[in-house]
């Protein structure tokens, strides 16, 4: 067996959405939810990967059926995110796709803009009334964590863990339909 054939252990963990942190091996679940708090798109990444790197994948995974016939919608009306998603690249992506955003600026970004003076540009539009609806995302995560296998990640393989998250999401959708 050559050295080239040996599998890199760090790479295999990343393929299984496992990342090292101070708490051990962790996985991060990225969700896009609708206004009712029901998952639309699910992406898994290793726990040591930041949120902004998975944003495009989560956005590309959104598919919402239309009321009539036709292709599913892939562009939401508005994106509500926390400060982790406040970057120029994400705002540019949303602007290019014609999606309104409500993302608060991080403190360091505000300081950098003010330090630059007039060259720093205008602050992005932020509506605090609309941002209050962001708790729907946190409530969706809380409902998903009611499933013990999701909260603890008992599954070794990423595709099985994702299947569990999809199954839990499906249960949430069915519970909502029964109301």
């Amino acid at each position: 067996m050559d050295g080239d054939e040996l599998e890199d252990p760090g790479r295999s963990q990343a393929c299984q959405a496992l990342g090292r942190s101070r708490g051990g091996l962790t996985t991060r679940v990225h969700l896009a939810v609708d206004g009712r708090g029901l998952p639309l798109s699910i992406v898994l990444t290793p726990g040591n990967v930041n949120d902004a790197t998975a944003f495009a994948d989560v956005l590309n995974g959104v598919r919402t059926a239309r009321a009539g016939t036709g292709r599913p919608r892939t562009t939401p009306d508005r994106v509500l995110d926390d400060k982790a998603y406040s970057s120029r690249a994400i705002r540019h992506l949303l602007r290019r796709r014609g999606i309104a955003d409500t993302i608060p600026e991080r403190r360091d970004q505000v300081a950098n803009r003010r330090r630059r003076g007039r060259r720093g540009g205008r602050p992005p539009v932020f509506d605090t009334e609309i941002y209050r609806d962001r708790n729907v995302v946190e409530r969706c995560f809380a409902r998903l964590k009611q499933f013990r296998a999701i909260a603890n990640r008992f599954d070794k393989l990423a595709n099985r863990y994702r299947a569990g998250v999809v199954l839990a999401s499906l249960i949430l959708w069915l519970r909502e339909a029964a109301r």
Side-chain angles (χ1 to χ4, degrees), residues 30-71:
H30 305 272
L31 289 179
V33 300
D34 66 357
R36 297 171 296 169
L38 299 173
L40 296 174
S41 174
I42 300 166
V43 174
L44 297 180
T45 60
N48 58 344
V49 174
N50 70 10
D51 292 329
T53 56
F55 180 79
D57 294 334
V58 173
L59 197 60
N60 290 335
V62 172
R63 300 275 183 272
T64 306
R66 294 186 187 271
T69 59
R71 293 184 323 203

Side-chain angles (χ1 to χ4, degrees), residues 141-155 161 164-165 168 171 175:
F141 274 110
R143 286 191 288 172
L144 284 174
K145 287 182 180 179
Q146 295 297 313
F147 298 91
R148 197 168 141 219
I150 304 303
N152 296 326
R153 186 174 174 170
F154 292 136
D155 298 308
Y161 180 65
V165 175
I171 291 170
R175 284 180 186 166

Side-chain angles (χ1 to χ4, degrees), residues 87-97:
S87 73
R88 209 178 271 162
I90 287 177
R91 291 182 195 276
H92 180 69
L93 171 71
L94 292 172
R95 211 174 306 120
R96 200 172 58 227
R97 290 186 62 176

Side-chain angles (χ1 to χ4, degrees), residues 33 73 75-80 94 99-102 125 127 130:
V33 300
R73 286 188 60 203
T75 305
D77 295 330
R78 177 172 294 277
V79 171
L80 302 173
L94 292 172
I99 302 171
D101 67 338
T102 303
V125 176
D127 189 350
I130 293 174

Side-chain angles (χ1 to χ4, degrees), residues 76-147:
D77 295 330
R78 177 172 294 277
V79 171
L80 302 173
D81 278 325
D82 59 2
K83 291 181 181 184
Y85 295 94
S86 176
S87 73
R88 209 178 271 162
I90 287 177
R91 291 182 195 276
H92 180 69
L93 171 71
L94 292 172
R95 211 174 306 120
R96 200 172 58 227
R97 290 186 62 176
I99 302 171
D101 67 338
T102 303
I103 305 171
E105 270 190 302
R106 291 191 315 258
R107 237 184 264 158
D108 65 329
Q109 291 175 333
V110 173
N112 287 338
R113 189 173 31 77
R114 286 185 179 156
R115 180 181 49 80
R116 294 185 65 185
R118 294 177 70 173
R119 291 178 301 145
R122 292 186 315 222
V125 176
F126 180 73
D127 189 350
T128 55
E129 291 295 318
I130 293 174
Y131 190 69
R132 288 182 182 165
D133 293 335
R134 195 187 166 284
N135 69 56
V136 173
V137 178
E138 302 304 329
R139 285 189 281 142
C140 178
F141 274 110
R143 286 191 288 172
L144 284 174
K145 287 182 180 179
Q146 295 297 313
F147 298 91

